[in-house]
Each structure stands twice: as C-alpha cells, then as structure tokens.
Amino acid sequence: IAMALEASGRLELAAPVRTYLPEAATTGTVRQLLGHAAGCAAHVEFFRRLRAERPADPRARLVSLASREPCDPPGVRAVYSDLGYIALGALVERAAAAPLEQAFAEMVAAPLGLVACFAPAPIANAVATELDDRGLVCGLVHDENAYWGGRVCGHAGLFASIDDVARFAAAMGAPRDRLRPEVVARCFGDAPAPGSSWRLGWDTPSATPGVSAAGDRWPRAGAVGHLGFTGTSLWLDLPNGRWVALLGNRVHPTRFGGSAEAMKRLRRAVGDAVVDAL
C-alpha cells in the first residue's frame, strides 16, 4: 500500500511520521518507519490492557498506545518493530483516506487479482493456529495485539492462499500499473539504518553462513523477503525472476517448545532445495 501511495504522490517517504500521525512519539520519517529504523520498541503486550479495558474502538486504542510508546532516536539502528508497523498502518490509512482493509482491497488485491483480505470477522477455510486461552484461533488473526486491537492492523491480520502469495511475488518481480518499478526498486534497496538487513518493508538474507532463514544457497545479491511469526515466509531472487513461498504453521498447537528452531531449519532447507531444483 505504501508503494502504491508513494507512486501516486499521496505518501512522501522523506516526510516526518508526525506529518501524517501527529500523536506519534517517534521523530523519524516514514522511510525510517518502513525500514524499522524509527526508534520504535520491538513489542509491548498491549493486548493485556485491551482485553481488560474492552474499549469501544479497539483499533483506535491500539494505534494510540503503540504510537505514543516512547522511542529511541531514529536512524541509529534497526529493530524489527510491531509497534512501528501498527503506527504505519494508521499512517497509511490517513494517506489513503480509507480504512486499511479498504486500502488493501482497492490498491493491492484488486489490481493484482488477489482474494487475500483482512479478517475483522472469522473467515472460512482458514488454517487454525494456536490453542491458547482464546481457544483454538481459526479464521482470525493470531497476533494477540491485533486480535484484541480490532483485528485489522499494520503488523498482522492479512490472510492469503499460496496462490495469492505467488501472484504477489510475481508482481513484485515485474511491477507495473500502481506499483511503479522505480518505487519498488527503492523499497528493495534502501536501508535506513547503518549495517541493517532491513529495507523498506522488506528484509534481505544475512551474509553470515548458517543464519538466514532463506538458506545458504539463496542468492544474496538482489534478494529480498520476509518472515511471518506463525511460520510463513517469502523470498524473492529478483535478478533470476524466481521466488519461494512457504506457508508453514509452527504455532499449532502451541508456539512453545522447539517449533521456532524447527521452522528455521525447514525454511533454510526449502530455500536451498529450491535453488538446487531451479
């Protein structure tokens, strides 16, 4: 959505976050917020407050809590931040003059032919995630802050099939229409913090052997991707026009135990196997 807004002139990446979100604690720019370099904290368990308060507008309450959480100076280092992307979701809504789910539907899903969507109410044919104090979470966002914060957020809550993810990957590799190639290329290549693997909305594979979830065989030059907490991942090899999408489910029935390390091993093995196969 940010790519499409920037391409249409409705979002300025160099502008301060407060231009769009005056209440934000960060003094960083939209660019730094996209690249996890705006000084925002990684994670705060706001869901405990939201669950107790049951606010009339949980989405607005979550955005308020996340946006106002104290921040470090921007541009110094990159810290993957749920809070930053909760604020980013609200920022994108204001730039688009539409709710996040509508902006996604009109600016991303429809042009690319995706059935992917947010789920403010339970959706059918979804894979169950965790069994916890909520019961079996199925058809609703797994992330607790998103779950109790309105279920449509900048950091979590989007549902898609493997076909959707593949179609999206193809569009990123050959952007057109609302996704101008120069805008997409900038998001793939711009690192807002020194030495960071993070780009604008995307990550890049670590150069250290044995570390990256993309595996060791996946190319480092021209490669971008992203992981999902529940076990999903997408890696693109832009120069060679290929990608690998993996929709795993490492939090079922629980996130605890060795599932995180096992999912990392699986991701790495899949990435290496794809390179061998292609």
Side-chain angles (χ1 to χ4, degrees):
I1 302 171
M3 287 176 174
L5 288 170
E6 205 269 344
S8 66
R10 289 186 283 170
L11 182 67
E12 174 53 58
L13 300 188
V17 171
R18 291 175 180 174
T19 301
Y20 304 92
L21 208 62
E23 65 270 32
T26 178
T27 57
T29 64
V30 177
R31 168 180 171 263
Q32 290 168 330
L33 194 63
L34 274 164
H36 296 286
C40 302
H43 180 69
V44 176
E45 292 184 342
F46 294 127
F47 70 89
R48 300 187 185 280
R49 293 181 61 173
L50 294 166
R51 188 170 57 191
E53 293 174 2
R54 301 295 176 97
D57 189 343
R59 287 174 65 170
R61 179 63 171 146
L62 176 60
V63 168
S64 176
L65 289 169
S67 300
R68 289 176 165 83
E69 186 73 13
C71 294
D72 291 333
V76 178
R77 64 190 182 104
V79 174
Y80 183 86
S81 174
D82 285 351
L83 273 61
Y85 267 57
I86 294 171
L88 182 64
L91 185 155
V92 162
E93 287 185 320
R94 297 184 188 187
L100 192 61
E101 61 271 40
Q102 180 184 336
F104 176 79
E106 294 177 355
M107 302 175 70
V108 181
L112 300 184
L114 312 181
V115 296
C117 62
F118 286 94
I123 61 173
N125 301 317
V127 175
T129 53
E130 196 162 17
L131 180 62
D132 59 17
D133 56 6
R134 295 171 288 184
L136 182 62
V137 182
C138 186
L140 289 171
V141 59
H142 172 262
D143 178 272
E144 292 95 336
N145 280 346
Y147 183 95
W148 292 102
R151 299 174 179 173
V152 179
C153 299
H155 74 302
L158 193 62
F159 285 77
S161 68
I162 192 70
D163 289 340
D164 277 336
V165 179
R167 191 181 296 267
F168 178 76
M172 292 297 101
R176 56 186 174 83
D177 299 330
R178 297 190 186 195
L179 298 173
R180 293 211 318 258
E182 65 273 20
V183 173
V184 176
R186 179 185 178 186
C187 289
F188 286 159
D190 186 1
S196 172
S197 68
W198 288 100
R199 304 300 183 254
L200 306 188
W202 296 84
D203 200 4
T204 57
S206 171
T208 304
V211 171
S212 177
D216 287 336
R217 295 177 181 268
W218 199 254
R220 268 41 184 174
V224 294
H226 211 290
L227 309 180
F229 181 82
T230 56
T232 57
S233 62
L234 173 65
W235 290 101
L236 289 78
D237 173 8
L238 299 168
N240 293 300
R242 60 188 177 184
W243 61 88
V244 55
L246 178 64
L247 302 188
N249 192 16
R250 73 104 179 160
V251 298
H252 184 76
T254 177
R255 76 189 71 182
F256 302 106
S259 65
E261 188 58 36
M263 180 55 67
K264 180 180 179 180
R265 291 195 300 269
L266 176 61
R267 284 167 168 157
R268 288 176 49 78
V270 169
D272 288 344
V274 167
V275 173
D276 289 343
L278 297 180

